[in-house]
Amino acid sequence: MTPAGAPARSRSVAIAGLLAAGFVLLALLGSLVVPHDPLAVDLAHRFEAPTLAHLLGTDHLGRDILSRLIAGARTTLGSVLVVLALVLALGLSVGGLSGMLGGRIDAVLMRLCDVFLTVPTFVLALFMIGALGTGLVNVVAAIVLSHWAWYARIVRGLVLELKTRDYVLAARIAGAPRLAIFVEHVLPGVVPPLAALATLDIGHMALHVAGLSFLGLGVQPPTPEWGVMINDARAFFWTRPLLVIWPGLAIALAVLAFNRLGDALRDRLDPTLVAGRGL
Amino acid sequence: MTVRTLRAGGLAVETWRATRRGREPVPLVRDASLDLRTGEVLALVGASGSGKSLACAALLDTLPPGTRRTGGRILLDGAETEPAALRGRAVASVLQAPRTAFNPLRTIDDHAGETLAVAGLRGGAGRAAMREALAAVGLGDDPRVPGLYPFQMSGGMLQRAMIALALLSRAPFLVADEPTTDLDLVAQARILDLLADLVRERSLGLLIVTHDLGVVARLADRVAVMAEGRIVETGAAKSIFARPSEPATQALLAAHQALHEVAPDGPPAVTDLLP
């Protein structure tokens, strides 16, 4: 039963997949393929239009924009990867413990989650940066702290549902220890929807990193990062709009690609999961 | 071979309902005692909702959420034992629905690994035990069986595989909660034959939960009849069929006879159920 319009949709997924793979490759191999040093200032060649030497032109300090975009992919996507790894680790362990053990432990952990769920990312980030100073580490910490509770909740819900399966009862009756039951029978049911959700959130978290850096709270200049690049170019928006457009385009494409990929994954795995998240 | 015993004394299970004055306990199983010996089949019979399955779950402390065990003690060879310690070591189980009792993402081999880990068998010894157990339940001829996923097998095959897993644990006692209910009649008869053979050959102590008196007549040495959460009558299978003293037992027998139209003096056989 292929719904109408499926070919167009699968084409968009293919494009999104290619784009996402491209971004990941750039983030991984960026330092090998950059045409110029992304930090090299060359005041003689400021604001150059795109040429063969500088495919996307140069910025207000004469730095090669393409090189900075490629290096920025590493900063942005790399920090998103760290955020996701931490969020998944926290969410899986807290949600898994909560769901498997139940009772008081569950109640305490879920109230803790409730507290974190009430804090918006930007408010928490502003608070942390006010208290601890600006920097990428604090931004990453703020995003992790404001997102892990969603994952813990979802993991717990999945665990609770999977726990009622007969084969979990069968494993319990067979004397299997709880950790083995979790790893063998519960985790395989938790991972696929979680992977879909995480992919869907890559774009969302990249926006947070770039957004906070744009505000001057995260990555500090001269480190190449997409949000920082937009902030740098802000002053020249009316005269040199391309300086804003290039990093903006990179952010938009990355977010769209990962979103589309996550959407497709979610549709394949569990169409009901994220619908209840109400974001 | 020495006879081992498993005795559950005074098992009690209750749930609760909310009233205006708070929670009020509702007893589901009251003072149920079961006595099991190796080499013997004890059938626990009773109408639906009489507490048979809950009594078995209380034996292993695997009660469903919303219920709790409020009394009773378990004696293994005369020594008091924690129910959780019995699982997979002293008592293996066969569940009612083989289709859902296996993880759809795991092969038979994976499931066996779990049982073997509890039994402490690894590597070659584990694989040998697995081959032997599969052969014992009649799945030994096809070398593909260990690698199959549950959806690639029939209900009867799965139930055999579940019995093989139970054998793999080397537990002296086997609890089978309605092991044939989800199977067709031919598969039912075969599984019952298999269980009877295994009890004889390996001197297992089998507790079989059923509402089918045909199963009882075919397998059981002794019968315990449950009604409304209590065990109302216990005795040798023959005497219970010949002289049911409790109304609950009489009702079960009458219902069975009405259904299968057999003479009231002889126990009905499962073969009567075959078309």
Side-chain angles (χ1 to χ4, degrees):
Chain A
M1 37 167 262
T2 317
R9 220 175 299 166
S10 69
R11 199 178 316 134
S12 82
V13 173
I15 294 171
L18 278 177
L19 263 176
F23 278 118
V24 170
L25 264 181
L26 280 184
L28 287 175
L29 308 172
S31 52
L32 300 177
V33 296
V34 283
H36 299 271
D37 179 357
L39 296 176
V41 175
D42 181 3
L43 292 175
H45 296 95
R46 305 170 62 201
F47 296 124
E48 260 183 20
T51 58
L52 270 183
H54 301 283
L55 282 178
L56 299 182
T58 61
D59 68 1
H60 62 291
L61 297 176
R63 297 173 296 194
D64 180 51
I65 289 180
L66 180 63
S67 303
R68 286 180 67 72
L69 279 183
I70 293 173
R74 176 170 235 160
T75 321
T76 309
L77 294 182
S79 44
V80 167
L81 206 70
V82 173
V83 167
L84 268 184
L86 289 173
V87 160
L88 284 174
L90 261 174
L92 267 175
S93 43
V94 172
L97 268 178
S98 212
M100 287 303 282
L101 298 180
R104 279 225 183 106
I105 297 171
D106 178 36
V108 170
L109 288 176
M110 282 305 111
R111 292 305 77 73
L112 190 71
C113 277
D114 287 345
V115 171
F116 277 95
L117 287 176
T118 59
V119 185
T121 309
F122 270 82
V123 174
L124 186 66
L126 287 175
F127 168 76
M128 289 196 54
I129 283 150
L132 304 169
T134 57
L136 186 58
V137 175
N138 292 341
V139 164
V140 165
I143 300 176
V144 170
L145 286 178
S146 56
H147 282 80
W148 70 272
W150 290 108
Y151 284 74
R153 278 259 160 186
I154 286 163
V155 170
R156 172 179 174 270
L158 288 168
V159 169
L160 284 183
E161 200 245 309
L162 291 163
K163 239 174 70 170
T164 64
R165 299 284 166 89
D166 266 6
Y167 54 80
V168 172
L169 178 66
R172 270 180 72 204
I173 289 177
R178 253 197 281 232
L179 183 66
I181 294 179
F182 180 69
V183 173
E184 294 275 316
H185 298 300
V186 176
L187 210 52
V190 173
V191 166
L194 213 58
L197 190 64
T199 315
L200 202 58
D201 265 357
I202 289 179
H204 169 75
M205 287 170 176
L207 271 184
H208 276 314
V209 173
L212 287 164
S213 299
F214 168 76
L215 293 176
L217 305 173
V219 182
Q220 297 300 309
T223 312
E225 200 277 340
W226 297 341
V228 172
M229 289 174 71
I230 296 183
N231 193 26
D232 281 347
R234 210 162 36 105
F236 321 106
F237 181 65
W238 295 112
T239 47
R240 310 268 186 242
L242 273 181
L243 293 188
V244 176
I245 288 173
W246 292 127
L249 203 61
I251 293 174
L253 282 179
V255 171
L256 281 174
F258 283 108
N259 251 11
R260 187 69 198 90
L261 209 59
D263 259 341
L265 265 179
R266 186 200 59 191
D267 289 351
R268 279 295 283 277
L269 293 168
D270 187 351
T272 59
L273 177 70
V274 187
R277 223 177 134 204
L279 271 181
Chain B
M1 199 168 181
T2 54
V3 172
R4 304 191 63 184
T5 61
L6 178 67
R7 165 176 298 196
L11 290 176
V13 178
E14 64 175 33
T15 181
W16 46 85
R17 70 174 157 232
T19 63
R20 238 171 288 169
R21 271 171 296 161
R23 281 179 168 184
E24 180 180 281
V26 181
L28 297 173
V29 175
R30 280 171 282 194
D31 193 26
S33 295
L34 295 166
D35 226 332
L36 202 55
R37 269 187 290 273
T38 51
E40 190 186 70
V41 179
L42 171 63
L44 186 57
V45 299
S48 295
S50 58
K52 308 181 296 274
S53 297
L54 281 177
C56 289
L59 180 70
L60 296 173
D61 232 348
T62 49
L63 288 164
T67 59
R68 64 161 179 249
R69 190 162 74 97
T70 50
R73 37 198 234 131
I74 316 288
L75 301 172
L76 180 64
D77 299 326
E80 185 151 5
T81 313
E82 273 298 303
L86 295 174
R87 298 180 203 153
R89 294 176 179 85
V91 180
S93 301
V94 175
L95 300 180
Q96 177 176 346
R99 191 58 67 192
T100 55
F102 284 91
N103 185 338
L105 304 173
R106 305 254 147 195
T107 63
I108 298 304
D109 219 10
D110 295 333
H111 285 91
E114 193 171 82
T115 309
L116 289 168
V118 176
L121 281 172
R122 286 178 201 292
R127 276 193 297 278
M130 164 99 174
R131 269 197 301 279
E132 192 261 340
L134 284 177
V137 298
L139 291 176
D141 299 332
D142 191 340
R144 287 173 307 170
V145 168
L148 290 181
Y149 286 93
F151 64 86
Q152 295 171 310
M153 299 168 74
S154 72
M157 278 173 92
L158 283 172
Q159 199 59 297
R160 279 167 193 275
M162 186 135 62
I163 295 172
L165 292 183
L167 295 179
L168 211 50
S169 72
R170 303 248 187 279
F173 296 99
L174 182 60
V175 174
D177 190 350
E178 312 240 10
T180 56
T181 308
D182 272 18
L183 303 176
D184 66 72
L185 291 172
V186 178
Q188 282 190 10
R190 290 196 180 133
I191 292 288
L192 291 175
D193 280 342
L194 172 63
L195 285 173
D197 288 347
L198 291 173
V199 168
R200 213 171 39 240
E201 286 162 16
R202 304 182 175 226
S203 187
L204 294 175
L206 174 63
L207 171 60
I208 186 162
V209 178
T210 182
H211 53 241
D212 185 345
L213 292 181
V215 172
V216 178
R218 191 184 177 101
L219 278 183
D221 300 306
R222 287 185 308 120
V223 180
V225 183
M226 270 193 106
E228 290 169 7
R230 292 177 201 279
I231 292 186
V232 292
E233 189 168 3
T234 333
K238 286 213 175 73
S239 65
I240 292 236
F241 277 113
R243 293 178 302 282
S245 61
E246 284 292 320
T249 321
Q250 289 160 0
L252 276 173
L253 275 172
H256 184 73
Q257 280 153 5
L259 206 58
H260 302 295
E261 296 179 47
V262 289
D265 51 347
V270 159
T271 42
D272 295 341
L273 304 179
L274 296 175

